[in-house]
């Protein structure tokens, strides 16, 4: 979680028995900064840890899952797509996929 938080955060692919999602910093999916206003599911870190498998599955299906520390969003689970083969179900996720900035695992610094 700490790797995805903050301004220098990076994306991490989480694989749960073949179901994959990206744990990404908020700057990769700005709609997650205001989950309630954008109709996104949000979860406190404590409950997210015990329900991580379910949250990864939901994110993989195109339903972004915002993770919060207390009341502050700190990261988001997003679907993983190489070439985009399906459209995420949440409109904000569709915008991010169209922009190409939210679903690719970050492996190094962006130019």
């Amino acid at each position: 979680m700490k790797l995805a938080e903050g301004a220098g955060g990076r994306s991490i692919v989480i694989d749960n028995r073949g179901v994959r999602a990206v744990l990404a910093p908020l700057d990769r999916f700005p709609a997650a900064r205001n989950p309630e206003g954008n109709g996104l599911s949000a979860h406190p870190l404590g409950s997210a840890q015990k329900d991580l498998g379910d949250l990864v599955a939901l994110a993989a299906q195109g339903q972004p899952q915002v993770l919060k520390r207390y009341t502050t969003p700190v990261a988001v689970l997003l679907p993983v797509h190489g070439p985009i083969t399906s459209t995420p179900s949440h409109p904000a996720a569709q915008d991010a996929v169209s922009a190409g900035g939210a679903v690719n695992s970050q492996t190094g610094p962006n130019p």
Side-chain angles (χ1 to χ4, degrees):
M1 182 62 186
K2 297 242 184 230
L3 294 175
E5 282 187 72
R10 55 180 221 215
S11 298
I12 302 153
V13 175
I14 298 174
D15 187 312
N16 182 37
R17 300 179 189 154
V19 177
R20 297 170 15 137
V22 174
L23 177 63
L26 298 178
D27 64 347
R28 304 273 291 176
F29 189 63
R33 294 184 192 280
N34 181 13
E36 293 81 15
N38 288 309
L40 300 171
S41 296
H43 312 274
L45 289 176
S47 64
Q49 288 175 338
K50 78 175 172 138
D51 297 330
L52 188 60
D54 293 335
L55 298 179
V56 166
L58 289 168
Q61 295 169 12
Q63 300 174 41
Q65 303 296 308
V66 179
L67 305 179
K68 300 190 310 184
R69 186 176 311 282
Y70 303 105
T71 60
T72 304
V74 293
V76 61
L77 284 166
L78 298 168
V80 174
H81 295 287
I84 298 170
T85 57
S86 63
T87 304
S89 61
H90 193 280
Q94 291 172 7
D95 292 344
V97 169
S98 298
V103 296
N104 297 319
S105 178
Q106 183 177 349
T107 56
N110 288 335

